[in-house]
Amino acid sequence: AIEPGRFDAHLNLALVLWSMKDFLRARTFFENLLAMGAEIAVANQYLGHICEESGDFTGALHHYEAAYRHDPHSEQALSSLVSVMQAQGNLGDAEIYCKKLVDSFPENSAYLRLLAGLRFELGREDLAVRTLSQAQVEPIETRLYASVRVLQFSDLISRENFEAIRVARVQSHKTL
């Protein structure tokens, strides 16, 4: 077991070092938390970020999965899993976790746009269009262009597909 005062001191110091962008020393403190028996999502989450920033996607995935196992309702853990799986090219699993994000946090339309982008990349354009048409965004044109740019799928979406998305969005708003 870990002493509460020691645990809090390590966690606070790790977070301070993280905020100062001293990732090497922050990593040491987060790892110490785990070594002291603290199976906490926050330490794994930050270690995942540190690994991801350094390009160690395997390490990042390991820590994000541990954070998710500890707290399967964590929005941060789920979104981090999607991010690293997407970076690794593991789009099928990224889609599964992104769907969990959409189901768990339906008020966040950014997750619907992300899910649509993943489905485009997986070659399921019809499903992607239907997914994107569910997102509540205003104004339509502005947010569609922003969604495409943010998700970096502009090179994957043909003009015809983009027009189909726009038409589906307009039609879905007319039926509300």
Side-chain angles (χ1 to χ4, degrees):
I2 187 170
E3 298 171 30
R6 191 169 170 204
F7 170 83
D8 290 342
H10 270 41
L11 179 58
N12 288 329
L13 194 50
L15 293 170
V16 166
L17 291 167
W18 170 267
S19 69
M20 294 170 42
K21 300 195 183 310
D22 188 346
F23 301 126
L24 184 61
R25 288 182 21 196
R27 179 184 196 126
T28 301
F29 280 93
F30 286 124
E31 287 172 344
N32 286 343
L33 285 169
L34 296 177
M36 289 189 286
E39 289 297 324
I40 57 170
V42 69
N44 277 300
Q45 190 67 43
Y46 278 96
L47 285 167
H49 288 309
I50 291 169
C51 290
E52 191 172 3
E53 285 295 315
S54 68
D56 177 10
F57 296 119
T58 302
L61 185 60
H62 166 77
H63 287 293
Y64 292 150
E65 286 174 335
Y68 177 71
R69 278 191 309 275
H70 183 74
D71 184 3
H73 304 291
S74 167
E75 184 175 6
Q76 185 65 37
L78 278 168
S79 63
S80 296
L81 280 169
V82 171
S83 173
V84 77
M85 287 173 177
Q86 189 175 13
Q88 288 181 312
N90 189 352
L91 302 181
D93 284 344
E95 179 191 21
I96 291 168
Y97 282 98
C98 193
K99 180 72 171 95
K100 289 180 183 184
L101 269 171
V102 168
D103 292 343
S104 299
F105 305 96
E107 70 283 355
N108 191 335
S109 62
Y111 297 140
L112 276 169
R113 292 190 301 275
L114 179 59
L115 182 59
L118 287 166
R119 288 174 170 170
F120 266 114
E121 278 198 277
L122 288 165
R124 299 195 311 245
E125 294 177 3
D126 289 344
L127 184 55
V129 169
R130 285 194 309 270
T131 301
L132 193 57
S133 71
Q134 296 171 23
Q136 295 180 2
V137 290
E138 292 294 330
I140 294 168
E141 295 295 333
T142 303
R143 292 301 301 263
L144 277 176
Y145 286 107
S147 296
V148 172
R149 189 173 58 254
V150 167
L151 294 173
Q152 300 174 355
F153 295 122
S154 58
D155 58 326
L156 299 173
I157 300 175
S158 69
R159 201 131 179 86
E160 296 81 25
N161 291 338
F162 187 81
E163 182 62 18
I165 293 170
R166 190 191 66 73
V167 168
R169 294 284 304 139
V170 169
Q171 289 173 348
S172 71
H173 280 274
K174 286 180 182 177
T175 60
L176 291 178

